[in-house]
Amino acid sequence: TMSTDQKYLPVLILRDNRFGMIKAMPVPSKGVSTAWVSRRCWEWIASLGCPRIILKSDTEPAILALR
């Protein structure tokens, strides 16, 4: 079992409905802590080759900060 003083590593999950692809990225912290997190998200989205995308998320402040 984990002790209460252990820290958890946040994981950002991206999912594509068209192809059913999922990407999980461990990130240093919630929100926009480093520019590479946003850049990696957009690189993955661009690699799907879709001319148009719709972004959906929950309303957690850390996720909204990525927009």
Side-chain angles (χ1 to χ4, degrees):
T1 64
M2 290 187 156
S3 67
T4 56
D5 62 336
Q6 284 183 308
K7 299 205 182 234
Y8 295 93
L9 181 65
V11 176
L12 178 63
I13 306 293
L14 304 170
R15 183 174 61 117
D16 169 61
N17 287 340
R18 182 176 175 199
F19 300 111
M21 295 177 63
I22 295 175
K23 180 170 183 76
M25 279 191 316
V27 294
S29 64
K30 287 185 167 190
V32 183
S33 57
T34 57
W36 69 263
V37 174
S38 295
R39 187 174 59 246
R40 292 287 297 265
C41 289
W42 285 113
E43 287 171 357
W44 184 73
I45 291 168
S47 75
L48 298 174
C50 299
R52 188 172 148 254
I53 63 168
I54 298 171
L55 298 176
K56 294 182 181 182
S57 69
D58 59 16
T59 58
E60 183 178 343
I63 296 297
L64 294 178
L66 285 172
R67 290 181 169 194

